């Protein structure tokens, strides 16, 4: 079976939904950030601080290629994976892309205590989240095969919508 890539802003529920889908579909699961931390032996904060965002994006692009070849995988992507068009091209070639959408207010509530997201360190407020989300909105929308709004929905409802979309 082809891969399933979950994309969306930080805190849109990709990791949680990926775990539920994995149980439902019995596919393997890759959490991109966790795999990067494991392979690099460094936290995401440290990678950004020591080598910069571009280097992190290079690692991310390489990982997308590796996962694409493995196949049969549910991938919880980093929120910024869509900023490189080649990542989107490659995801499209090796699977389906599911966009989990949420409002800036919902996102803020989910990530406000997080300290391991360098993009939001020092910018942890609804206005900044809304602004960055707007900057990325088209990238998420254009990449998506299926878009699911997650505000106010249970995990089960979200998964049901995804499964229905996939089987169409
Ligand atoms: C990022 C999102 C993070 C992580 C990194 C950069 C982004 O992933 O890859 O901090 O640019 O949106 P999550 O979406 O899993 O938090």
């Amino acid at each position: 079976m082809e891969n399933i890539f979950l994309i969306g802003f930080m805190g849109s529920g990709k990791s949680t939904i990926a775990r539920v889908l994995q149980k439902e579909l019995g596919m393997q699961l890759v959490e991109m950030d966790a795999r990067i931390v494991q392979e690099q032996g460094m936290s995401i904060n440290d990678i950004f601080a020591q080598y910069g965002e571009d280097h992190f994006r290079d690692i991310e692009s390489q990982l997308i290629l590796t996962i694409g070849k493995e196949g049969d995988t549910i991938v919880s992507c980093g929120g910024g994976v869509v900023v490189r068009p080649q990542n989107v091209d490659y995801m499209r070639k090796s699977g389906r892309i599911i966009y989990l959408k949420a409002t800036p207010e919902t996102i803020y509530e989910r990530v406000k205590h997080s300290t391991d997201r360098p993009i939001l360190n020092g910018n942890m407020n609804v206005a900044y989240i809304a602004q960055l989300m707007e900057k990325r909105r088209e990238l998420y929308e254009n990449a998506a095969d299926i878009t699911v709004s997650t505000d106010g929905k249970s995990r089960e409802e979200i998964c049901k919508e995804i499964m229905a979309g996939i089987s169409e």
Side-chain angles (χ1 to χ4, degrees), residues 6-64:
L6 297 181
I7 63 164
F9 205 81
M10 294 166 266
S12 56
K14 295 165 293 193
S15 308
T16 308
I17 297 303
R19 282 194 295 270
V20 182
L21 279 178
Q22 185 208 9
K23 284 198 192 111
E24 291 279 336
L25 299 170
M27 293 161 73
Q28 65 166 334
L29 170 67
V30 172
E31 172 69 44
M32 282 188 63
D33 282 355
R35 178 125 156 207
I36 290 172
V37 169
Q38 187 195 354
E39 287 180 358
Q40 302 296 314
M42 280 173 94
S43 70
I44 303 287
N45 274 336
D46 287 346
I47 298 172
F48 268 69
Q50 289 194 30
Y51 300 111
E53 181 173 347
D54 268 3
H55 180 72
F56 175 78
R57 299 292 172 210
D58 289 341
I59 298 170
E60 204 171 44
S61 296
Q62 190 52 52
L63 181 53
I64 289 280

Side-chain angles (χ1 to χ4, degrees), residues 120-167:
L120 295 179
N121 290 348
N123 293 309
M124 193 56 87
N125 58 74
V126 175
Y128 183 82
I129 289 170
Q131 185 198 332
L132 180 57
M133 196 185 279
E134 185 52 31
K135 233 168 113 183
R136 290 183 176 174
R137 190 169 56 88
E138 265 203 330
L139 298 174
Y140 290 127
E141 286 175 0
N142 292 342
D145 291 309
I146 299 163
T147 300
V148 178
S149 291
T150 65
D151 295 283
K153 288 184 192 155
S154 69
R155 293 163 193 198
E156 291 70 28
E157 284 173 303
I158 295 165
C159 283
K160 242 189 199 166
E161 278 188 41
I162 294 174
M163 307 273 269
I166 288 172
S167 62

